[in-house]
Amino acid sequence: MLAKQWLTNARNVMAQIEDTQLDNIRKAAEVMADSIAAGRWVHTFGCGHATIPIEEMYPRIGGFVGFHPMIELPLTFFTRITGEMGVHQFVFLERVEGYGVEIMKGYNFDPRDTMWLFSHSGINNVNIDVALEAKKRGMKVIAFGSAAAAQGKQTRHSSGKTIFEVADIVVDSCAPIEDASVPLKNHQDKIGPVSTMAFVTCVWMTVTTVAEILADRGVQLHIHPSHNVPGDGTARQRLEAALAAYKERIAGV
């Protein structure tokens, strides 16, 4: 069954992450914990399917205040496929140099902030724009993507750099650069991409490490609880408290 082949491929990627990326994940988590402990933000950004790990981490059950999702609708809205905000426009926009510069103008940043970027190939202009602008503002830049597999790919940015060359810390998602992983008979292209699974794996390995570091420092986290567990009479209040903490912290960003 091709289902089992995809599952084997996914497990192999997760095993590679565990075997090779724990040190880098710890380094990234330390930087993020410093930002959150300072009352500031870990800003998260990606394009296309690289927005899925951003939406996965916050807001959701088990997530906590400190991660600020920056998601541009034209760079993530795929449900139309064609027509308004379709795939053709997305492929064009993520390659437009300068678009990321304009995105960054919409927010107020602080040098204590961290910019956490997701990019599978690391070569497209919007992500690199955002990374360079974050560095100009004194922020640490952390990039997650298929760094080893992307080596040798030519950046599309005039800086001559990929996002992995701009970032202060890189965590390799260990996904193959072609992403799709399962050959299909009578077809040239493979099916079964693994980059999203790899990103989400890296996200929760990182976020749980951030939480561990902050808890060890005595920092009280504002965690989103499950409000669907029978018998938990305070979940709604804990959720409201977390959202209130987010609202207070986000003021001025």
Side-chain angles (χ1 to χ4, degrees), residues 45-52 54 75-76 78 90 94 118-119 124 126-127:
F45 184 83
C47 302
H49 288 89
T51 62
I52 293 175
I54 294 168
L75 294 174
T76 187
F78 285 133
F90 161 72
E94 73 168 347
F118 296 86
S119 176
N124 286 318
V126 173
N127 291 310

Side-chain angles (χ1 to χ4, degrees), residues 3-18:
K4 292 190 68 174
Q5 186 169 347
W6 182 87
L7 192 59
T8 296
N9 295 341
R11 285 172 173 158
N12 287 341
V13 169
M14 294 175 76
Q16 289 179 52
I17 293 169
E18 181 181 14

Side-chain angles (χ1 to χ4, degrees), residues 67-90:
F67 300 92
H68 170 225
M70 295 170 52
I71 295 179
E72 287 287 305
L73 192 57
L75 294 174
T76 187
F77 190 72
F78 285 133
T79 55
R80 291 294 299 274
I81 314 301
T82 58
E84 181 184 0
M85 286 196 289
V87 174
H88 290 296
Q89 297 96 306
F90 161 72

Side-chain angles (χ1 to χ4, degrees), residues 66-153:
F67 300 92
H68 170 225
M70 295 170 52
I71 295 179
E72 287 287 305
L73 192 57
L75 294 174
T76 187
F77 190 72
F78 285 133
T79 55
R80 291 294 299 274
I81 314 301
T82 58
E84 181 184 0
M85 286 196 289
V87 174
H88 290 296
Q89 297 96 306
F90 161 72
V91 171
F92 173 78
L93 285 173
E94 73 168 347
R95 300 182 181 191
V96 175
E97 187 168 340
Y99 189 6
V101 176
E102 299 306 311
I103 290 171
M104 293 289 281
K105 290 178 182 178
Y107 303 92
N108 295 315
F109 297 104
D110 186 283
R112 295 170 294 173
D113 294 344
T114 299
M115 181 62 71
W116 188 3
L117 296 161
F118 296 86
S119 176
H120 177 64
S121 68
I123 65 173
N124 286 318
N125 288 332
V126 173
N127 291 310
I128 299 169
D129 278 346
V130 170
L132 291 169
E133 289 298 309
K135 298 271 283 193
K136 287 179 183 178
R137 290 162 171 78
M139 288 183 273
K140 292 288 187 182
V141 173
I142 297 170
F144 280 35
S146 190
Q151 286 184 359
K153 285 186 72 69

